[in-house]
Amino acid sequence: MKKIICMLILGFVTTTSWAGAQTWCVFDPLGTQGDISRRLQDIRLYALQHKTQLKFDTFKDEKDAIQAFDQHKCSGLVASNFHTYRYNHFMGSTSGIGLISNNRVARMLLQLLTNPNVEKRMLDQNYEVLGMIPIGTAYMIMNTQQISKVSQLKNKTIGILENNPPQLALVQSVSAKPVYVDFATAVDSFKQKKIDILAAPAYGVLPYNLKKEFGESTQVVNFPVAYFAINIVIRPQAYPNGFGHQIRTWFVKNSNVLAAQAMQWENHLPAYYWADISGYEKQGYEALVAKIRNRYVDSGYYDAYFVELIKRLRCLDDPKSLECRR
């Protein structure tokens, strides 16, 4: 009799240790066969080992994924760091202009996701960030003549995201003309010559023959503007205690693989597309970006702790950069 009771208790504990299947609304412009969706399958298997079942509802338009999440049709959201800013300013700041400078710095950030000082900033009463899938540095892609000086950006049309004041301020600071785009329309706007310059990661244009489809003068300026990544946000109340930490542990363990994939995408962009600007112009642009970035740190738009942390990581990566010189 005791044996039967123990078996019943064990069965109850085992059953209740499993969370009900949770659905994540996923933005993947390539659908269920895209790189983001494939990476999520790895996370799904890892979560399964920790007694949590995940299901994915995939959207090719990011607005639809966010809307479904806000309507509580799913307990998790997988979307860009630009548009998950509203749920967590710390990890939303990963999209900040002039902050994460390359994939190496992104990798170092991933390695810190279980650090207590970092981890506590990824959780509040309503939302929790589980991790970040690196996509790569956003560069200026131009279908106009080569621009070697910041002053040559004057009167050029530049695509920016709505509700992103720092991007607007940066464009206005170089006397260019902002044109609002979203991830669903940005490439088409560029292709149709509605904008002269598009900021995008190499991953976003790899499917295209740039010179054939966008024009012979198309080039990618080898200077980082911002960093593009996919953040995973959940409503923690729907998950077992410790679930967020477990998934962040997965990101720490896989930080090298995740960053290496983003590096590979950038390396796949043929060398003849890249355009370099002089060291002098780079310094001038860095100073301009830093000035605008600091304005939005002071206003509280960018998370101050994140900015300081990333500055330290950037200086570890490149001690000779302008901001790291003593």
Side-chain angles (χ1 to χ4, degrees), residues 205-260:
V205 294
L206 279 180
Y208 303 92
N209 182 315
L210 298 191
K211 294 193 181 291
K212 182 178 179 180
E213 297 186 59
F214 301 145
E216 283 296 323
S217 60
T218 301
Q219 289 188 301
V220 181
V221 179
N222 192 11
F223 185 86
V225 178
Y227 195 82
F228 191 98
I230 297 294
N231 284 341
I232 301 175
V233 181
I234 64 169
R235 294 187 178 87
Q237 303 86 349
Y239 295 82
N241 289 334
F243 176 75
H245 177 78
Q246 290 166 350
I247 301 302
R248 284 188 288 274
T249 299
W250 181 90
F251 275 94
V252 173
K253 290 178 179 177
N254 289 276
S255 57
N256 288 330
V257 173
L258 293 168

Side-chain angles (χ1 to χ4, degrees), residues 27 37 45 52 56 88 137 148 172 176 179 200 223 237 265 284 298 301 325:
F27 164 57
S37 294
L45 292 175
T52 301
F56 305 126
N88 183 279
T137 308
S148 57
Q172 291 175 333
V179 176
F223 185 86
Q237 303 86 349
W265 287 326
D298 293 341
Y301 186 88
R325 298 173 187 171

Side-chain angles (χ1 to χ4, degrees), residues 45 79 149 234 242 315 317:
L45 292 175
K149 298 180 179 179
I234 64 169
C315 290
D317 177 64

Side-chain angles (χ1 to χ4, degrees), residues 92-106:
S93 295
T94 57
S95 65
I97 57 172
L99 290 175
I100 296 180
S101 52
N102 56 48
N103 294 306
R104 297 184 302 275
V105 174

